[in-house]
Amino acid sequence: MPPTSNDAFSFDGDWSGQLVATAIHTGHDLREETASHMVLDEATRLREEDPFTDAIGAACPARLVVHRSRFEVDLNRAREEAVYRRPEDAWDLGVWRETPLPDDVTERSLAIHDAFYAELGERLDRVAERGPFVLYDVHSYNHRRDGADEPEAPGEDNPEVNVGTGSLDRDRWGDVVDTFMTTLGGTQTAGGEIDVRENVRFKGAHLCAWVHGRYPDHGIALALEFKKTYMDEWTGQPDRARIAALAQALGETVDPVLRALGSSSAR
């Protein structure tokens, strides 16, 4: 797939409410100059991105979708770590033709990081002026890393949805978290109830910590890692029916979560 000139990220939906969904690793685009320095093959890059997480969050009222690949700039890392410089920064993958990447290329990628957090901050400042809010930080993770023909990772250590709350004040907002998990986990799909557990594989990263740091009295960010049972992580082929079912299930959590948010805020 050739690199494109799409905007790095876009806002969509109705931002007049108190719940937002982000898909910050769903992007696959690269700037022309970034692509010219990259040696990582496209299939491997796609496997480490979070395809279709924008579709999983599509039923949420307000949405922010990132179109650039995390291999250009990783918006779930702090600025100083947002451009992968060495293989150990990127799961020991060789990303660049030359190391380090030229400073001017790196700085133009970091400018996207700056713009993303500046523009998201402006939006969320207005949301926070109305009261507490919830942000669904939608991601995905691989569970067949041993190979396309190898068994998947054991289910006991790999829930279908991992809810990361590592930087969240659970004493204050625990009812919101519990409502989310109970509602999503109680959803009946063609594959049965959705297996939802907390902090089993992931506890959340920079975006959630940034929300909780900027809005300590108002922001509730849940890092949602969907296991890639909704696609073939080796070929990239999606299961459209499963994606639609997960999107509907996530959308159905919105009203219960906002009610729990209102009750928690009133205490």
Side-chain angles (χ1 to χ4, degrees), residues 46-176:
L46 181 64
R47 193 158 55 247
E48 299 298 342
E49 295 163 347
D50 295 348
F52 311 110
T53 49
D54 55 334
I56 292 173
C60 295
R63 300 173 298 281
L64 169 54
V65 176
V66 173
H67 306 293
R68 296 291 174 80
S69 172
R70 67 187 303 175
F71 287 92
E72 180 167 288
V73 58
D74 190 334
L75 298 173
N76 209 24
R77 296 190 183 186
R79 189 184 194 276
E80 59 272 17
E81 301 171 346
V83 175
Y84 307 149
R85 290 170 167 81
R86 305 162 300 169
E88 50 264 44
D89 297 333
W91 312 280
D92 294 324
L93 297 172
V95 178
W96 308 115
R97 193 177 310 281
E98 59 209 84
T99 304
L101 194 64
D103 289 345
D104 61 332
V105 178
T106 297
E107 286 303 315
R108 282 188 283 273
S109 293
L110 291 176
I112 298 170
H113 193 281
D114 295 341
F116 173 86
Y117 279 98
E119 294 186 35
L120 178 57
E122 289 180 4
R123 294 252 181 171
L124 291 182
D125 286 352
R126 294 194 290 272
V127 174
E129 286 175 358
R130 299 191 294 267
F133 66 89
V134 178
L135 184 143
Y136 291 170
D137 178 26
V138 185
H139 294 270
S140 65
Y141 75 97
N142 296 319
H143 66 297
R144 295 173 56 207
R145 284 196 172 275
D146 291 339
D149 300 319
E150 298 300 319
E152 64 183 56
E156 58 265 28
D157 300 320
N158 295 270
E160 181 157 15
V161 183
N162 181 103
V163 182
T165 60
S167 60
L168 177 73
D169 183 352
R170 215 185 189 291
D171 289 339
R172 181 171 186 180
W173 303 114
D175 287 352
V176 177

Side-chain angles (χ1 to χ4, degrees), residues 211-233:
V211 169
H212 296 142
R214 186 178 176 107
Y215 309 101
D217 298 320
H218 292 80
I220 304 163
L222 305 179
L224 309 180
E225 296 274 357
F226 286 77
K227 185 162 64 173
K228 288 183 180 175
T229 54
Y230 64 82
M231 64 178 291
D232 186 320
E233 67 191 52

